[in-house]
């Protein structure tokens, strides 16, 4: 057996052993490397992972994802230890809106509801009325009593939600995901030309002109479910490439194509088996939040879980 393969197998064995010893459970997002998804106890989209975090009995959660995801798990489970596999894995979009902007919009629009995409810091959540993820945003925005919505921080997701909830008035922010924004219409058209039989499945963080030429728009888990349920065999995938692991696992006979080399989130890809093993060994770096901040940020997150039921 090649040395590299032996090393990986040893690491997997160590991770399994440590999980038991430390009473830990590993949660991973679909965008992390396949080998990390393979050793996780649960893999999901950001909504599924935050919901799941509230139901686990293990004392320690090892989070394989970006910082806002680990923070959400901690905010919803203050009594548990949440450990980041890599504390520097952070989503740039989470920092694209500031509190002054929120307060300014509130002062100019007293009845506004501040709807915060979970891809945001705990501090931003603590100044918001409700959180949403890409899989529940439409349902939640529809259910809100407010006519006016300030959707932060993702501009593309906000616009997409507004097309599905035309009865409400939206104020948008200018945040974006650099990974999804870099998928261009021309890339998708070229992939469609190369695979004319394929359906295009797209994450709503992509730009409007990409959404327009897509056959299905949904969160990562909705894309996975759609591909599995479809009677078609070929798909072009417009989201981060980590999703190809689960798509392949669930659909070994179907074909999935990317639209180019830029479907890569460098932050999600920071997480390696080495780092997961180290996090388990040391139960650090732990997510630590100020109590008052955590309890304020808990309100919009818990409201999301309630409204998404
Ligand atoms: P999901 O809500 O589909 O998990 O997406 C999270 C994310 O970071 C998208 O870029
Ligand atoms: Fe953030 Fe985009 Fe990476 Fe998702 S894919 S974590 S939105 S940078």
């Amino acid at each position: 057996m090649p040395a590299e393969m032996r090393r990986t197998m040893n690491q997997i064995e160590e991770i399994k052993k440590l999980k038991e010893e430390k009473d830990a459970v590993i949660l991973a997002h679909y965008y992390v490397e396949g080998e990390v998804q393979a050793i996780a106890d649960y893999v999901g989209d950001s909504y599924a992972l935050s919901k799941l975090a509230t139901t686990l009995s293990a004392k320690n959660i090892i989070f394989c994802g970006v910082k806002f995801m680990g923070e959400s798990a901690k905010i919803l489970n203050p009594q548990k230890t949440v450990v980041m596999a890599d504390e520097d894995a952070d989503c740039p979009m989470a920092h694209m809106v500031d509190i002054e902007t929120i307060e300014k919009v509130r002062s100019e629009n007293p009845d506004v509801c501040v709807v915060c995409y979970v891809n945001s810091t705990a501090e931003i959540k603590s100044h918001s009325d409700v959180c949403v993820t890409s899989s529940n945003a439409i349902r939640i925005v529809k259910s809100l009593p407010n006519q006016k919505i300030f959707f932060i921080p993702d501009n593309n997701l906000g616009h997409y939600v507004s097309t599905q909830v035309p009865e409400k008035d939206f104020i948008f922010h200018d945040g974006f995901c650099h990974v999804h924004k870099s998928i261009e219409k021309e890339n998708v058209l070229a992939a469609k030309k190369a695979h004319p039989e394929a359906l295009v499945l797209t994450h709503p963080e992509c730009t409007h002109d990409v959404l327009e030429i897509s056959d299905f728009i949904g969160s990562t888990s909705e894309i996975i479910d759609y591909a599995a349920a479809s009677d078609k065999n070929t798909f072009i995938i417009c989201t981060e490439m980590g999703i190809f692991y689960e798509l392949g696992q669930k659909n070994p006979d179907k074909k999935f194509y990317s639209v180019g080399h830029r479907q890569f989130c460098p932050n999600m890809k920071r997480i390696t088996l080495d780092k997961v093993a180290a996090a388990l060994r040391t139960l650090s770096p732990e997510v630590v939040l100020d109590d008052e901040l955590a309890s304020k940020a808990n309100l919009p997150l818990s409201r999301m879980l309630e409204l998404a039921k």
Side-chain angles (χ1 to χ4, degrees):
M1 184 193 294
E4 188 53 32
M5 197 187 279
R6 200 164 47 241
R7 196 174 109 76
T8 305
M9 288 185 65
N10 289 343
Q11 260 173 341
I12 293 170
E13 281 314 305
E14 187 194 3
I15 288 170
K16 279 187 188 156
K17 216 165 125 243
L18 283 167
K19 266 196 320 189
E20 294 219 350
E21 270 171 38
K22 306 275 179 165
D23 188 20
V25 67
I26 301 178
L27 266 52
H29 189 269
Y30 289 123
Y31 291 164
V32 301
E33 291 287 4
E35 65 179 14
V36 176
Q37 293 185 48
I39 52 92
D41 296 291
Y42 301 95
V43 187
D45 68 1
S46 41
Y47 171 56
L49 292 174
S50 50
K51 194 170 72 165
L52 185 84
T54 63
T55 65
L56 299 169
S57 57
K59 220 168 109 213
N60 300 298
I61 297 174
I62 309 295
F63 213 104
C64 303
V66 286
K67 196 169 180 174
F68 77 81
M69 297 178 175
E71 277 183 355
S72 297
K74 179 68 185 177
I75 291 164
L76 290 165
N77 299 278
Q79 74 292 354
K80 290 213 194 288
T81 302
V82 179
V83 176
M84 294 305 292
D86 183 319
E87 67 179 334
D88 295 323
D90 199 358
C91 170
M93 194 199 326
H95 304 273
M96 287 184 184
V97 62
D98 55 39
I99 288 155
E100 292 68 40
T101 305
I102 298 175
E103 294 315 323
K104 186 164 180 287
V105 170
R106 279 197 195 280
S107 69
E108 291 165 357
N109 303 273
D111 298 330
V112 79
C113 183
V114 178
V115 176
C116 175
Y117 189 28
V118 280
N119 297 42
S120 56
T121 62
E123 199 185 15
I124 291 300
K125 288 185 177 84
S126 75
H127 285 260
S128 302
D129 297 312
V130 64
C131 288
V132 294
T133 73
S134 52
S135 65
N136 59 34
I138 295 168
R139 189 153 23 119
I140 289 180
V141 170
K142 266 190 185 153
S143 75
L144 294 169
N146 314 64
Q147 177 62 24
K148 199 170 262 186
I149 306 296
F150 180 32
F151 196 99
I152 55 170
D154 189 29
N155 189 278
N156 287 335
L157 178 63
H159 274 279
Y160 173 61
V161 172
S162 76
T163 64
Q164 306 302 304
V165 194
E167 65 275 20
K168 303 228 175 205
D169 305 318
F170 284 74
I171 304 168
F172 301 107
H173 188 62
D174 57 5
F176 61 91
C177 162
H178 68 100
V179 181
H180 289 86
K181 200 177 168 183
S182 72
I183 298 174
E184 288 171 9
K185 182 179 179 177
E186 288 63 40
N187 309 134
V188 184
L189 291 176
K192 272 165 85 97
K193 201 167 168 204
H195 311 288
E197 73 287 15
L199 291 182
V200 179
L201 314 186
T202 299
H203 196 283
E205 286 177 15
C206 289
T207 58
H208 173 70
D209 52 352
V210 169
L211 298 186
E212 234 176 18
I213 54 169
S214 298
D215 297 291
F216 176 76
I217 299 162
S219 73
T220 46
S221 54
E222 288 171 333
I223 288 175
I224 292 164
D225 292 346
Y226 184 92
S230 173
D231 56 6
K232 297 279 190 300
N233 282 315
T234 315
F235 304 90
I236 293 163
I237 303 297
C238 300
T239 189
E240 212 275 349
M241 59 193 283
I243 197 174
F244 283 82
Y245 176 76
E246 183 70 10
L247 285 169
Q249 293 288 112
K250 284 226 165 94
N251 310 280
D253 300 328
K254 297 190 179 184
K255 289 197 176 74
F256 299 98
Y257 295 98
S258 72
V259 291
H261 60 281
R262 284 165 297 184
Q263 291 171 244
F264 180 87
C265 175
N267 280 287
M268 289 286 190
K269 296 299 185 282
R270 293 181 64 90
I271 295 144
T272 60
L273 289 180
D274 267 339
K275 290 178 185 171
V276 176
L280 274 164
R281 246 180 261 125
T282 60
L283 290 182
S284 70
E286 198 185 326
V287 178
V288 181
L289 291 166
D290 171 78
D291 284 348
E292 197 188 329
L293 171 67
S295 91
K296 280 190 185 156
N298 183 285
L299 296 174
L301 270 174
S302 297
R303 193 173 176 201
M304 171 185 85
L305 295 184
E306 195 50 43
L307 291 174
K309 268 182 191 164

